[in-house]
Amino acid sequence: MLSLPKRVKVLGVPVDCVDMARALDQVRDMASGNRAGCILAVNPEKVIAAQSEPVLRRALEGAALLIPDGIGVVWAVRLLWKEHIARVPGAELMPAICAASAVEGYRLFLFGASEEVNAQAVAELQREHPGIGIVGRHHGYVNEAGMAAVIDAINRSGANVLFVALGSPKQELWMERYLPQLPGVRVCQGVGGTFDVIAGRIRRAPLAVRRVNLEWFYRLLTQPQRALRQAAIPRFAWQVARAWLARPSQPAPGANGG
Ligand code: UDP
């Protein structure tokens, strides 16, 4: 079994110190049956939301892999823990898992988004990755009564990797509730709006913008309806600064600090 990455906490929420390569190693290990579970993305909005949503917090604490999805979280880990981690956006991890599907034998199921987006995302992935093992798909607009049929479809598909695109915190709550009914699923990643990106409905920030870590600002400009959620970013920054100022002081060199 692969060793687990170092796990640190940012304002009480755990984050794994991984880069993309290490995250993919963990996915391989989980899929092989060593350690099944959820992959959740940690970003400033989710850290702040977890403070008032105990169910989200519990889901984060119970996840098998917590990727540093937002640059704010990367900076906080570097500042508070001196760990030099890199960003692993969930919107990049999912396509990377898809790209590895043929070689690793991953059997993928895509659950979530509208029927049109879901079908389009599947078609796009099949076009991009010949040999990809997509064994099933279902849109994400399902009521309580319809969920048993979705669970049944996932179980019958033989999927061992499930992507759930219901937005946060809906997808985390869904996983907590339904994953115990999906014994064949070894890896379950919450991917938010990633199907919309793959289907070409939402554009990610241009590479140059991503490189200077301003993807969050691009999203604010292009999806102003998210402004309320992004109001969490300054709160997050303020709380991290306070945690940094309140950190225990380092003993001076040569001091008898124990
Ligand atoms: N969605 C869904 N069912 C629902 C609510 C939302 O399938 O009941 C989908 C929605 O169509 C979109 C995704 O969930 O594809 C939410 O994307 P968003 O960008 O809001 O997620 P985030 O990454 O911000 O959590």
Side-chain angles (χ1 to χ4, degrees), residues 52-145:
S52 55
E53 294 178 40
V55 191
L56 177 59
R57 194 190 182 96
R58 215 175 42 237
L60 289 163
E61 281 168 355
L65 182 62
L66 290 151
I67 52 173
D69 171 76
I71 191 62
V73 166
V74 170
W75 282 338
V77 169
R78 288 183 188 170
L79 188 70
L80 300 173
W81 295 94
K82 309 281 174 263
E83 289 286 337
H84 279 270
I85 62 167
R87 223 186 134 200
V88 181
E92 290 176 20
L93 181 62
M94 181 199 161
I97 294 172
C98 291
S101 152
V103 173
E104 302 291 348
Y106 297 151
R107 298 180 303 279
L108 314 171
F109 195 107
L110 279 75
F111 171 51
S114 68
E115 171 60 21
E116 213 183 338
V117 166
N118 184 294
Q120 220 173 335
V122 167
E124 186 55 32
L125 287 169
Q126 281 167 335
R127 194 188 61 76
E128 240 178 84
H129 308 290
I132 187 173
I134 296 181
V135 294
R137 66 169 197 87
H138 201 287
H139 67 79
Y141 291 87
V142 184
N143 58 21
E144 273 303 298

Side-chain angles (χ1 to χ4, degrees), residues 110-253:
L110 279 75
F111 171 51
S114 68
E115 171 60 21
E116 213 183 338
V117 166
N118 184 294
Q120 220 173 335
V122 167
E124 186 55 32
L125 287 169
Q126 281 167 335
R127 194 188 61 76
E128 240 178 84
H129 308 290
I132 187 173
I134 296 181
V135 294
R137 66 169 197 87
H138 201 287
H139 67 79
Y141 291 87
V142 184
N143 58 21
E144 273 303 298
M147 209 53 89
V150 174
I151 298 302
D152 192 42
I154 298 170
N155 279 328
R156 275 187 294 108
S157 73
N160 62 351
V161 177
L162 172 64
F163 299 117
V164 182
L166 302 177
S168 189
K170 198 167 184 178
Q171 63 201 19
E172 286 85 1
L173 307 188
W174 186 93
M175 289 180 203
E176 180 159 77
R177 175 152 180 209
Y178 292 106
L179 213 52
Q181 299 175 34
L182 299 167
V185 172
R186 316 301 305 171
V187 179
C188 181
Q189 185 189 355
V191 297
T194 305
F195 296 178
D196 299 78
V197 175
I198 293 171
R201 300 299 179 96
I202 293 179
R203 291 169 81 93
R204 282 191 71 197
L207 200 58
V209 176
R210 280 185 252 159
R211 283 214 176 112
V212 292
N213 294 319
L214 284 175
E215 184 163 24
W216 60 274
F217 187 60
Y218 178 90
R219 290 187 89 176
L220 184 61
L221 293 181
T222 56
Q223 296 171 257
Q225 69 277 16
R226 298 176 67 93
L228 205 63
R229 271 177 74 167
Q230 289 200 324
I233 294 175
R235 273 179 72 186
F236 175 84
W238 169 242
Q239 290 186 21
V240 169
R242 279 209 331 222
W244 183 71
L245 289 171
R247 76 200 185 285
S249 55
Q250 303 289 317

